[in-house]
Amino acid sequence: MAEIIREAPLGQIIRWATRNRLLKYPEEMEGFELPATYNAVLNSTTSQEKGQAPRSSPPVSRTVTREKTRRSSDGSNESATADETNTVSEDLEKAETQQPGPYEDPVALNISRTKSRLSTVPYTEDRLELEAELAIERTQTKPIMPTKTADGVVLVDWYTTDDPANPQNWSNGKRFVVSLIICVYTFVVYTGSAIYTSSELGVMAKWNLKPVDASLPLSLYVLAYGMGPLLWAPLSEIPIIGRSPVYAATMALFTILSLPTAMVNNFAGLLVLRFLQGFFGSPCLAIGAATMQDMYSLLYLPYALVAWVSAAYCGPALGPLLSGFAVTAKGWRWSLWEILWAAGPVFLIMFLLLPETSTPNILLRRAARLRKLTGDNRLKSQSEIDQQNMKPSAIVIDAIVKPIEITIKDPAIAFVNVYTAIIYGIYYSFFEVFPLVYPPIYGFSLGMIGVVFTCILVACLIGIAVYCAYLHYFLIPDIMKHGLRAQESRLVPALFACFGPTIGLFLFGWTARSDIHWIAPTIGITIYGASVFIVMQCIFVYVPLSYPQYAASLFAGNDFLRSAFACGSILFGRPLFINLGVGKGVSVLGGLSVIGIIGMFVLWIFGAKLRARSKFAI
């Protein structure tokens, strides 16, 4: 438990306040001894710098422990004892007569030079093969030989193959808890968007607004959590920052802003506060998938992503249910208070228990502790070296310019962005069309409209069952037997599911009549929701497999485009359905969804040729 609290934001604040006297890391505890592998590499490097042959065993003088490096009050190191000095002299005399030792030969030390996951590109065959090797190695405790660069820097890595500091080595229980926190956090933020829809009538009456104006607090929230990833995603990839501080700081602001949002007394203030809420809640969208990738191997990552996407998918749909009856009884502000009540406990849990999962950040801080312990500045993490070469201009280009460039120049990415934007926008248009169907045609109350939205939850469960069955019974066994196939093979479930959005929309649009039971249009929405869930899963696997070097940038760009179109659909949805009628209006959206049917088959058939011509794909 102490380790979890130490890695959480609260623990890091306690360490800072006490100058690292509480919640110490192993390197800071009395009796800690530098691993033999590090002694070996450090001593061999020192010998070569002095023109000596490498020694066959680590000299005692370089074997660093907390007792031998304890500082005196004036800042100087305590002197070695006479016995230690004699031992060092004997080792040096022996070294002069011995042949070159095994410091440059890990085999002679019987130590494997295990590759790091970070040495491979995510979502590639190399990453898959390496993770399979690491999965075997972490079942036994084997020391890892650190790498020495040409300029003498010793790269700090995990101490052993089963190092408990490595998120990939965490117990299933710990990974489950962290995943659950991220999923609940994601659910709360996404619920915060549509939970407001029950308050639109009250807002219209309060400030004498038109329906389109009253929907602005929802649309601006959605737009803002699409803009946030353009900042938060690259920020979390800076090694000195990591993911946990971004989560904690932004969720704190999200929670604080929820208070004035529920109390604001002018419409302009409500718009500004809702936009800021969405912006500071967006790290769940920006780096939630990256957190899952930190903990799970490529083979089983899809299961974790299914859980995370489900939280994001169901959040908006359940928002009206959570607020519908309460707003009817307590007033329009009640939905905004519910955001605060949900966000507060989630923030406390994150603050107390959410550890850092970014390997570059964890190893960077370990390297700093080892330098303090040994006084040797050659100990650095690879992320420190990479960070020194980071330029703000390069970060901006990767986050904003690169997604736009790839979208314009690469037909596959252009299709993915346009299609996902359309189906995501249609999803948010439901919040405008349901009030035009179920109350006037079927006599549903505001609370009962929220109950109808549970069909999205049912759709999500159907999508989860189908996609997880595909993973368990076909995809994962096939990968274990044959390795990664061509990226287009991941689109096979989508070839069947891509018909669902069109079928579901037309079924909803043309059965929403008083002479047809309300379950018929609801079934149409369920078909739409289940099929879209499967299509999105396939697309979001295809993109990083095809463009691994730009996966983070492409996802951030896709998040923005999806949210921007959803923002627009909230505003144009109601006028569309009123002017054309529900049947014709929904048919327009159904016709747009046909793009997905054509595009999905084109991508499946010609995807390999398109990737071969693209300078961005592999």
Side-chain angles (χ1 to χ4, degrees), residues 281-611:
S282 62
C284 65
L285 174 64
I287 55 179
T291 299
M292 298 299 185
Q293 182 186 322
D294 291 336
M295 297 185 293
Y296 295 97
S297 66
L298 179 60
L299 194 60
Y300 296 101
L301 177 62
Y303 287 116
L305 293 181
V306 163
W308 175 68
V309 171
S310 300
Y313 199 66
C314 293
L318 295 182
L321 174 64
L322 297 175
S323 63
F325 293 105
V327 166
T328 302
K330 297 292 186 179
W332 68 269
R333 293 185 186 273
W334 201 259
S335 66
L336 302 178
W337 283 114
E338 288 180 343
I339 298 175
L340 176 62
W341 298 334
V346 171
F347 166 69
L348 290 177
I349 293 173
M350 293 173 65
F351 188 66
L352 292 172
L353 299 176
L354 186 62
E356 180 59 65
T357 62
S358 171
T359 293
N361 177 269
I362 296 172
L363 293 179
L364 182 146
R365 291 184 286 129
R366 171 175 283 184
R369 294 192 297 270
L370 290 179
R371 285 197 300 272
K372 183 177 180 180
L373 171 66
T374 63
D376 197 322
N377 290 326
R378 292 172 298 165
L379 290 163
K380 293 184 179 181
S381 67
Q382 181 63 55
S383 55
E384 279 183 282
I385 300 172
D386 296 339
Q387 183 174 268
Q388 293 171 358
N389 299 323
M390 283 185 177
K391 297 179 180 179
S393 59
I395 294 175
V396 171
I397 290 173
D398 284 343
I400 300 176
V401 178
K402 187 61 69 175
I404 297 174
E405 179 187 1
I406 298 176
T407 299
I408 294 173
K409 295 181 178 180
D410 195 296
I413 292 300
F415 161 71
V416 166
N417 286 340
V418 170
Y419 182 51
T420 54
I422 289 173
I423 58 179
Y424 197 66
I426 293 172
Y427 176 55
Y428 268 92
S429 72
F430 294 160
F431 299 107
E432 299 303 315
V433 73
F434 275 28
L436 300 176
V437 171
Y438 290 98
I441 297 178
Y442 299 109
F444 283 22
S445 66
L446 189 63
M448 288 303 295
I449 293 177
V451 175
V452 174
F453 271 105
T454 57
C455 70
I456 300 294
L457 175 61
V458 175
C460 185
L461 293 175
I462 295 172
I464 291 173
V466 172
Y467 190 71
C468 287
Y470 165 72
L471 292 175
H472 181 74
Y473 293 107
F474 177 76
L475 184 63
I476 291 179
D478 182 70
I479 291 176
M480 295 179 70
K481 186 176 181 180
H482 302 106
L484 291 177
R485 294 184 183 272
Q487 289 89 321
E488 287 70 33
S489 65
R490 296 298 187 96
L491 298 175
V492 171
L495 297 178
F496 299 93
C498 66
F499 293 95
T502 304
I503 294 172
L505 287 172
F506 278 100
L507 181 62
F508 171 80
W510 294 104
T511 59
R513 304 202 312 262
S514 58
D515 58 332
I516 299 178
H517 194 275
W518 62 265
I519 197 64
T522 306
I523 290 174
I525 296 299
T526 304
I527 294 173
Y528 177 89
S531 56
V532 164
F533 183 89
I534 296 172
V535 168
M536 296 281 273
Q537 290 287 345
C538 295
I539 288 177
F540 288 159
V541 171
Y542 175 81
V543 169
L545 286 175
S546 301
Y547 307 84
Q549 299 94 329
Y550 306 104
S553 299
L554 289 175
F555 278 134
N558 183 267
D559 293 338
F560 173 71
L561 290 173
R562 282 188 293 120
S563 297
F565 192 81
C567 169
S569 71
I570 293 168
L571 298 178
F572 70 66
R574 187 179 184 89
L576 173 70
F577 300 129
I578 290 177
N579 293 329
L580 294 182
V582 172
K584 293 180 180 180
V586 174
S587 296
V588 170
L589 300 180
L592 287 175
S593 68
V594 174
I595 295 173
I597 299 175
I598 300 171
M600 198 63 65
F601 278 89
V602 169
L603 192 61
W604 182 61
I605 297 170
F606 300 106
K609 293 181 180 179
L610 291 174
R611 284 188 289 107

Side-chain angles (χ1 to χ4, degrees), residues 208-222:
N208 193 27
L209 301 173
K210 297 178 180 178
V212 174
D213 297 331
S215 65
L216 279 172
L218 170 60
S219 61
L220 288 177
Y221 186 104
V222 173

Side-chain angles (χ1 to χ4, degrees), residues 166-186:
N166 183 355
Q168 292 277 317
N169 293 337
W170 289 351
S171 66
N172 289 333
K174 184 175 181 178
R175 287 189 289 186
F176 172 77
V177 169
V178 174
S179 302
L180 181 63
I181 292 173
I182 295 299
C183 289
V184 173
Y185 162 47
T186 302

